[in-house]
Amino acid sequence: MPLRKDNLKIILLQLVILPFLFSCNSSSSSSSSSSSSSSSSSTVSCSSSSSTVSNSGSYLVKGGFGLFANGGNGVKYGNFELYLMGLIQPCEVEDIVYFDNVTQSSDDLNNRCSDGEWCPIFHSTSKKTLSITQLEQNYGKRDPDSSQSQKSFNAMVMMISKTDLTQSEIDDFSDDVNYFDNASENYGNFAWATGSRASLTLDNLTNSLKDNSTTSYTHNNRDYKILDNGSFVSVLISDSEYSNWDNGSINYISTFSNRTSFLKTSTKFSTMILILL
């Protein structure tokens, strides 16, 4: 989930979450970057389900749909996502419905319901239901399960720009960081999206510095600044790097060697969030 920001040129969310977080076959979370919860999750009554296939048909979607970011930050994590994150038991995952060989005409796309709301229609040769039971049979169970999985995550927010940020920009981005990792459930933040099943810490960088007597560092001729008491890192880049930000230089900025030039080597981040201003 990207930070809430309307005037960003580009938001790049680079997930470098440890492999076990999104793997059904990982062996352990004992070397994870943050503390793991050893408490058992609440007992949920489970019943088995199986995959099904239906005949072809036509389907109407009231309110419409798209191919990317439907609802954006206004949609919580789905229960299959929560399962992959190790936050719920498999029996809490609803069946996944998907369609084969979808077709749609321009009239279908522009269809309206009787109340005038956008209600696009699509056609499919088959409607399929995939259960978590079938997924686990095919790909294995998530390991560790929700009773032993990591629940607390650390992340670094790195702001990349051609010029120093103004105090107004610093304050603005700091507010976004504090909102996003707030432990209270607020619309669009991590606690809200996970139903308070996990926590995310973004604004604690000062405790990870090798030398907390200074917050400005130079490494490989690049200036790094820890801003607003550790809310995020600001990095200056050249005009050419800014114009060609996707040529690999941005990835280089966030490499482990650059980060550990001013952070303790023991510091681990589940996620890196890069924002090009």
Side-chain angles (χ1 to χ4, degrees):
M1 298 177 66
L3 293 177
R4 304 176 306 110
K5 195 66 187 170
D6 296 332
N7 62 347
L8 292 178
K9 177 181 178 183
I10 295 171
I11 294 180
L12 174 62
L13 177 61
Q14 178 186 0
L15 291 178
V16 290
I17 293 180
L18 297 175
F20 69 82
L21 183 57
F22 288 110
S23 171
C24 289
N25 294 301
S26 178
S27 60
S28 174
S29 64
S30 59
S31 60
S32 62
S33 63
S34 304
S35 61
S36 298
S37 171
S38 60
S39 61
S40 299
S41 56
S42 58
T43 302
V44 177
S45 177
C46 298
S47 59
S48 60
S49 59
S50 59
S51 302
T52 61
V53 178
S54 302
N55 295 327
S56 61
S58 299
Y59 304 88
L60 181 148
V61 183
K62 190 173 179 62
F65 63 93
L67 300 178
F68 177 73
N70 292 286
N73 276 7
V75 179
K76 296 183 177 183
Y77 291 123
N79 56 12
F80 183 59
E81 293 172 303
L82 293 173
Y83 164 76
L84 291 177
M85 296 168 71
L87 301 183
I88 62 173
Q89 299 180 53
C91 60
E92 297 177 74
V93 179
E94 297 174 357
D95 290 344
I96 299 171
V97 177
Y98 65 101
F99 301 86
D100 273 345
N101 301 317
V102 173
T103 59
Q104 184 183 61
S105 69
S106 57
D107 287 340
D108 292 333
L109 177 63
N110 296 320
N111 183 64
R112 297 280 174 175
C113 289
S114 58
D115 59 2
E117 186 174 1
W118 183 37
C119 296
I121 299 170
F122 67 89
H123 314 278
S124 171
T125 58
S126 65
K127 174 185 176 181
K128 297 183 178 181
T129 302
L130 184 63
S131 70
I132 190 63
T133 302
Q134 186 64 51
L135 283 169
E136 290 189 332
Q137 289 175 351
N138 291 343
Y139 303 105
K141 296 182 178 181
R142 192 200 190 280
D143 185 15
D145 64 18
S146 58
S147 67
Q148 298 294 324
S149 61
Q150 181 179 348
K151 302 298 192 303
S152 299
F153 302 95
N154 293 324
M156 175 194 286
V157 178
M158 185 173 285
M159 197 70 60
I160 303 168
S161 61
K162 293 188 295 183
T163 59
D164 285 325
L165 301 178
T166 66
Q167 188 58 52
S168 177
E169 290 172 325
I170 293 173
D171 292 342
D172 199 10
F173 284 118
S174 180
D175 287 344
D176 278 342
V177 168
N178 293 330
Y179 183 95
F180 194 71
D181 74 352
N182 194 295
S184 300
E185 291 190 31
N186 297 304
Y187 179 79
N189 72 358
F190 188 76
W192 174 84
T194 62
S196 294
R197 295 178 176 90
S199 63
L200 176 67
T201 300
L202 300 176
D203 54 355
N204 196 28
L205 293 176
T206 50
N207 290 339
S208 300
L209 297 176
K210 288 181 177 179
D211 178 8
N212 57 18
S213 65
T214 180
T215 55
S216 297
Y217 303 85
T218 300
H219 181 68
N220 288 341
N221 297 317
R222 194 181 303 281
D223 293 327
Y224 295 81
K225 294 181 180 179
I226 312 295
L227 297 177
D228 197 53
N229 296 318
S231 290
F232 58 90
V233 180
S234 174
V235 186
L236 297 181
I237 63 175
S238 65
D239 288 343
S240 60
E241 287 177 316
Y242 188 87
S243 300
N244 301 286
W245 70 274
D246 58 349
N247 68 355
S249 59
I250 298 301
N251 290 332
Y252 168 77
I253 290 172
S254 63
T255 57
F256 181 77
S257 61
N258 286 338
R259 286 186 278 125
T260 54
S261 65
F262 54 87
L263 296 174
K264 298 174 183 176
T265 54
S266 59
T267 302
K268 306 294 183 182
F269 295 104
S270 301
T271 303
M272 172 73 72
I273 302 174
L274 303 181
I275 302 178
L276 186 65
L277 183 61

